[in-house]
Amino acid sequence: MPSWIGAVILPLSGLLLSLPARAEVKARSCGEVRQAYGAKGFSLADIPYQEIAGEHLRICPQEYTCCTTEMEDKLSQQSKLEFENLVEETSHFVRTTFVSRHKKFDEFFRELLENAEKSLNDMFVRTYGMLYMQNSEVFQDLFTELKRYYTGGNVNLEEMLNDFWARLLERMFQLINPQYHFSEDYLECVSKYTDQLKPFGDVPRKLKIQITRAFIAARTFVQGLTVGREVANRVSKVSPTPGCIRALMKMLYCAYCRGLPTVRPCNNYCLNVMKGCLANQADLDTEWNLFIDAMLLVAERLEGPFNIESVMDPIDVKISEAIMNMQENSMQVSAKVFQGCGQPKPAPALRSARSAPENFNTRFRPYNPEERPTTAAGTSLDRLVTDIKEKLKLSKKVWSTLPYTICKDESVTAGTSNEEECWNGHSKARYLPEIMNDGLTNQINNPEVDVDITRPDTFIRQQIMALRVMTNKLKNAYNGNDVNFQDTSDESSGSGSGSGCMDDVCPTEFEFVTTEAPAVDPDRRGVDSSAAQPGPSLLSGSLVCVTLALQRLCR
């Protein structure tokens, strides 16, 4: 037999011997895959009974497969939905923390204000009777403005409190001097010098410090809870990129196509996929942690010197104490006012015959402890803040740890103890590539997800900016500085700090001519002690005010 015949027969025999084995691989059943695929709710019409050639696959390995093009498309969409649900479920704790604690704190604060207003009204009605009821709008307006400030209204607390005491002085001044008639101009003169007269003693100054610090801290804290809630809600709703969707499909369902539906992804493989898909979320973590730290600092203030409950609970007693001071010093106050604003005109005979109602001189009787209203919202500020602090601490680093939280879920991966019998993206074997670090810039060499590190997610960057702005406001509140939450505030209205020369701090035509200058409230910004001395005329006072306005300082 010629040698060339043998050379032909031997390869042919080898080919023939290999055909049964090849046919056996090709004919492998897809029964287990059909069962798993059907359990997902998909139609079995899409899936073959036996493996087919995989040249049509766009994501999974193009080898013999149980997946058709329709199956790959549907499983790809399924992997996207499952990923979105996983992120939402994993961030559920942080979202519910901010939602529930915001609701509780807001409920507590509003009820605290309602209780304080009701307590003051009940006590003053009982103590002063009709006299209080005829002037109750002064107190109602105080609480209305406090509520408006808390809910984000453009209210300057210092100006509002100064206005409250000025209005109260006007009303009381008329009550202790019923024999005189006071014009609006005269009463305006009286109110402009509330601080210099100090008719209510030191109560207004102390209460102003306590209220402004406590309300600034409380309002900023509840705003922080709102921002945390909104950011968490937004960030937990992810929109995976095409590159991420391909990686998710390969990780979660390409094992189905290879006839291995029960084999779960390797833990480290999952981490690289998740770190690539959630790279932008991880970049949020730095600003998020700074925000949480600032929230915790303000929480400490609320527990300590800025405790709103310790301010509002006895506010009725403090205001009554101020009224008592006014009554005791009524003669001296009246004399100084008459000296500075001029002698008022006598009232008509009918009115001058009357004197101040006797119940005006009734001593204020505060509630006994057992009579005082119950704590707001069934809790105390200390207990509420302690609970919020514990939950806030648990929410630190939540965004950078998302991949680890998702990948340790036994329903997602094979776990760390099963590193040899897991899906590595190609077969059932150990996953060898190294794990990427957190954040967008660290994904440049991610072996699983195609990440464009040059294009940060605009939406995530907006959330980072929102956190940065809120953190700055929290730092201000921690230091006792007011923060304006209005998006469009009129900076020229004088409603913000440092707004320049305003009527109540500039020299005016009404100067007190006294041998002894009244004490000037040291807490009052921009009030020169010379304002209480005999001196400048209307013209010179106006020139001084103009000059000071130009310098933006009232000194």
Side-chain angles (χ1 to χ4, degrees):
M1 183 174 63
S3 59
W4 64 268
I5 295 175
V8 171
I9 290 173
L10 285 173
L12 284 174
S13 62
L15 178 63
L16 291 171
L17 287 171
S18 68
L19 283 175
R22 184 85 168 177
E24 185 183 342
V25 172
K26 187 175 181 180
R28 193 164 58 183
S29 172
C30 293
E32 198 176 358
V33 178
R34 286 175 64 85
Q35 186 178 355
Y37 188 71
K40 293 286 181 183
F42 296 118
S43 170
L44 294 180
D46 296 333
I47 183 169
Y49 285 94
Q50 294 179 322
E51 286 186 332
I52 59 175
E55 292 86 352
H56 58 278
L57 298 178
R58 289 169 294 179
I59 299 174
C60 298
Q62 293 182 333
E63 301 174 11
Y64 279 102
T65 181
C66 286
C67 284
T68 60
T69 301
E70 292 76 18
M71 284 179 66
E72 192 178 42
D73 289 342
K74 287 181 180 179
L75 289 173
S76 182
Q77 187 62 27
Q78 179 69 16
S79 64
K80 174 181 179 292
L81 293 173
E82 287 183 13
F83 169 70
E84 290 171 349
N85 290 334
L86 277 170
V87 174
E88 198 159 351
E89 288 169 12
T90 307
S91 60
H92 179 261
F93 167 77
V94 70
R95 287 184 290 114
T96 54
T97 291
F98 279 90
V99 169
S100 61
R101 270 54 192 183
H102 174 273
K103 181 180 179 183
K104 192 69 175 176
F105 190 90
D106 185 62
E107 177 189 357
F108 172 85
F109 199 96
R110 290 174 186 271
E111 196 169 319
L112 181 68
L113 290 179
E114 293 292 338
N115 285 351
E117 184 174 13
K118 184 178 184 303
S119 178
L120 183 144
N121 185 70
D122 292 347
M123 293 165 123
F124 278 39
V125 166
R126 182 180 58 183
T127 304
Y128 302 115
M130 187 58 67
L131 193 62
Y132 162 71
M133 289 187 280
Q134 289 171 344
N135 297 278
S136 62
E137 76 276 5
V138 176
F139 303 92
Q140 290 168 0
D141 289 348
L142 169 66
F143 283 97
T144 297
E145 289 299 287
L146 288 175
K147 291 172 190 173
R148 194 163 74 86
Y149 174 85
Y150 168 70
T151 55
N154 192 13
V155 177
N156 183 292
L157 283 175
E158 287 194 18
E159 286 184 5
M160 184 272 291
L161 290 168
N162 288 339
D163 184 59
F164 164 74
W165 293 111
R167 289 179 67 195
L168 187 59
L169 175 60
E170 288 180 18
R171 300 296 179 94
M172 289 196 63
F173 192 75
Q174 294 175 82
L175 291 170
I176 62 177
N177 293 287
Q179 68 274 29
Y180 295 109
H181 169 71
F182 300 104
S183 66
E184 290 297 321
D185 288 343
Y186 197 98
L187 291 174
E188 187 178 345
C189 173
V190 175
S191 67
K192 286 198 176 193
Y193 289 93
T194 308
D195 283 348
Q196 288 91 329
L197 291 169
K198 297 182 79 71
F200 301 109
D202 207 30
V203 174
R205 186 188 68 83
K206 289 180 178 178
L207 200 57
K208 180 167 67 175
I209 293 171
Q210 293 170 341
I211 287 178
T212 52
R213 292 192 314 186
F215 268 78
I216 288 167
R219 181 173 84 160
T220 309
F221 191 70
V222 80
Q223 288 281 348
L225 290 172
T226 302
V227 169
R229 178 190 68 192
E230 294 305 313
V231 169
N233 282 337
R234 289 167 182 163
V235 175
S236 64
K237 291 178 172 31
V238 293
S239 297
T241 63
C244 171
I245 295 171
R246 288 179 61 86
L248 290 167
M249 167 61 194
K250 189 177 177 183
M251 180 185 87
L252 295 173
Y253 288 113
C254 280
Y256 277 50
C257 298
R258 295 289 291 140
L260 303 169
T262 60
V263 180
R264 300 193 187 282
C266 301
N267 185 74
N268 289 354
Y269 176 31
C270 173
L271 285 175
N272 272 344
V273 172
M274 292 302 159
K275 287 196 174 199
C277 289
L278 297 170
N280 283 283
Q281 280 75 6
D283 282 348
L284 184 78
D285 223 38
T286 300
E287 205 62 50
W288 176 266
N289 293 336
L290 291 172
F291 161 70
I292 296 296
D293 287 339
M295 286 287 289
L296 291 170
L297 285 173
V298 175
E300 288 176 9
R301 289 291 207 217
L302 288 171
E303 289 178 314
F306 297 0
N307 189 311
I308 190 70
E309 192 171 24
S310 64
V311 173
M312 294 308 297
D313 202 32
I315 194 170
D316 44 15
V317 178
K318 293 175 182 177
I319 292 176
S320 182
E321 179 189 338
I323 292 173
M324 294 300 115
N325 285 330
M326 172 68 180
Q327 289 178 233
E328 291 170 358
N329 300 304
S330 59
M331 292 184 66
Q332 297 94 314
V333 170
S334 296
K336 285 185 178 180
V337 170
F338 295 160
Q339 193 173 23
C341 298
Q343 191 69 21
K345 296 178 181 179
L350 183 62
R351 184 176 174 184
S352 63
R354 296 195 317 231
S355 60
E358 288 192 15
N359 65 345
F360 182 71
N361 294 312
T362 304
R363 271 287 170 188
F364 181 77
R365 182 178 71 82
Y367 271 130
N368 292 322
E370 62 272 13
E371 293 178 300
R372 186 162 286 284
T374 55
T375 310
T379 186
S380 69
L381 184 67
D382 287 341
R383 286 199 298 272
L384 185 59
V385 172
T386 298
D387 171 67
I388 294 174
K389 281 170 61 180
E390 290 174 359
K391 298 297 187 295
L392 288 176
K393 288 173 184 176
L394 293 174
S395 71
K396 288 192 73 173
K397 298 185 178 179
V398 66
W399 307 113
S400 62
T401 56
L402 266 182
Y404 297 91
T405 309
I406 290 172
C407 294
K408 74 178 181 182
D409 189 334
E410 292 181 357
S411 67
V412 178
T413 68
T416 55
S417 62
N418 199 10
E419 294 182 3
E420 301 293 341
E421 300 290 316
C422 56
W423 174 250
N424 65 8
H426 301 280
S427 61
K428 185 169 71 170
R430 176 183 287 269
Y431 181 77
L432 299 176
E434 65 175 332
I435 302 172
M436 297 294 101
N437 290 324
D438 301 326
L440 187 64
T441 57
N442 290 315
Q443 305 312 308
I444 188 169
N445 294 317
N446 192 310
E448 308 305 335
V449 188
D450 183 16
V451 182
D452 186 353
I453 66 168
T454 65
R455 298 181 64 184
D457 188 300
T458 305
F459 181 74
I460 295 294
R461 290 311 181 267
Q462 288 172 349
Q463 307 315 306
I464 289 174
M465 184 55 67
L467 289 171
R468 192 169 294 161
V469 170
M470 191 64 239
T471 300
N472 187 52
K473 292 176 179 179
L474 287 162
K475 288 178 180 177
N476 275 309
Y478 176 79
N479 293 319
N481 299 325
D482 205 353
V483 198
N484 190 357
F485 289 97
Q486 297 292 95
D487 292 328
T488 54
S489 59
D490 182 6
E491 293 183 0
S492 64
S493 65
S495 60
S497 60
S499 57
C501 194
M502 295 180 287
D503 288 344
D504 60 341
V505 293
C506 285
T508 70
E509 63 270 38
F510 299 111
E511 301 295 338
F512 288 94
V513 183
T514 56
T515 55
E516 220 177 297
V520 178
D521 187 348
D523 211 53
R524 193 164 147 71
R525 277 187 242 162
V527 179
D528 197 315
S529 60
S530 63
Q533 302 287 350
S537 63
L538 172 59
L539 178 59
S540 63
S542 300
L543 289 172
V544 171
C545 194
V546 169
T547 304
L548 295 176
L550 290 172
Q551 296 174 338
R552 306 289 288 170
L553 292 169
C554 283
R555 292 186 171 275

